[in-house]
Amino acid sequence: MKAFNNAWEVFFRHGVTDHAIKELCRLYISKSVECEYCGGQRSVLARQLGATEAQVDEILNFESSERFDERERTALEWAMAIAWDPTLAADDLWDRLHRHFTEPQLVELGHFIALTLGQQRFLKTVGIRHGEVLADGEAGLAPQEAERLREKRSSAAPAVTP
């Protein structure tokens, strides 16, 4: 878990690509691979920068949603190409990527998308949920995931006898 967290710290929280774009790509991957652990998390920083639950609700339909601007849609299309169909990375996508991102940002974002995909598939494969491995708090959880964790904790609490 330390290696997982170290890589995550370097590529998600730091770097040359803005955090909000990385969070959208992370959420796209989470929702498209149906990783409940990662799909139930939210970046507090991205929320402070304007990310909304309404965007998360429409992330799998980003291509037709009006909640995403051209730069966000371009990054999400690249995430889709990396995760599902490399043939989507045609000249048109590369032109848009280069219009919105520098070479260092593209390298970092591509690596981050691939890292995210691998990590989320691993978590889903081993069935890890919030509160099962680390002492997870509720900060950074989606509202419904925070509620599920509270319910789990309250049902696991020992009964108090008088």
Side-chain angles (χ1 to χ4, degrees):
M1 286 308 286
K2 285 182 183 181
F4 178 101
N5 288 334
N6 289 340
W8 198 249
E9 185 70 24
V10 169
F11 289 104
F12 186 51
R13 291 185 172 80
H14 302 288
V16 295
T17 308
D18 60 311
H19 185 78
I21 289 289
K22 289 189 269 190
E23 173 68 350
L24 286 176
C25 290
R26 184 193 71 76
L27 287 166
Y28 171 79
I29 296 296
S30 300
K31 296 297 184 177
S32 66
V33 300
E34 299 176 349
C35 178
E36 291 179 21
Y37 186 90
C38 298
Q41 293 178 301
R42 300 294 181 271
S43 165
V44 174
L45 176 58
R47 187 178 306 140
Q48 292 168 350
L49 294 171
T52 66
E53 283 300 305
Q55 280 184 309
V56 177
D57 292 343
E58 295 184 18
I59 200 130
L60 293 178
N61 298 311
F62 71 88
E63 295 165 299
S64 59
S65 172
E66 294 186 16
R67 297 197 185 274
F68 303 94
D69 64 27
E70 177 63 24
R71 185 171 191 259
E72 294 166 336
R73 273 195 283 287
T74 300
L76 290 166
E77 190 174 339
W78 200 30
M80 183 170 34
I82 291 169
W84 302 113
D85 184 0
T87 65
L88 295 174
D91 290 343
D92 175 61
L93 177 57
W94 281 111
D95 289 344
R96 286 182 286 125
L97 285 166
H98 283 99
R99 198 167 42 243
H100 295 290
F101 301 97
T102 65
E103 283 292 321
Q105 288 173 324
L106 288 174
V107 170
E108 180 184 89
L109 187 57
H111 178 81
F112 174 74
I113 292 165
L115 176 69
T116 299
L117 179 62
Q119 288 177 334
Q120 291 182 16
R121 296 301 294 168
F122 168 73
L123 291 172
K124 184 176 172 132
T125 300
V126 297
I128 294 174
R129 295 196 53 139
H130 292 106
E132 294 177 349
V133 176
L134 301 173
D136 290 357
E138 292 180 20
L141 292 182
Q144 66 273 20
E145 187 64 15
E147 179 61 28
R148 186 201 65 77
L149 191 57
R150 279 192 295 275
E151 288 173 4
K152 180 182 174 186
R153 287 181 183 147
S154 67
S155 66
V160 177
T161 56

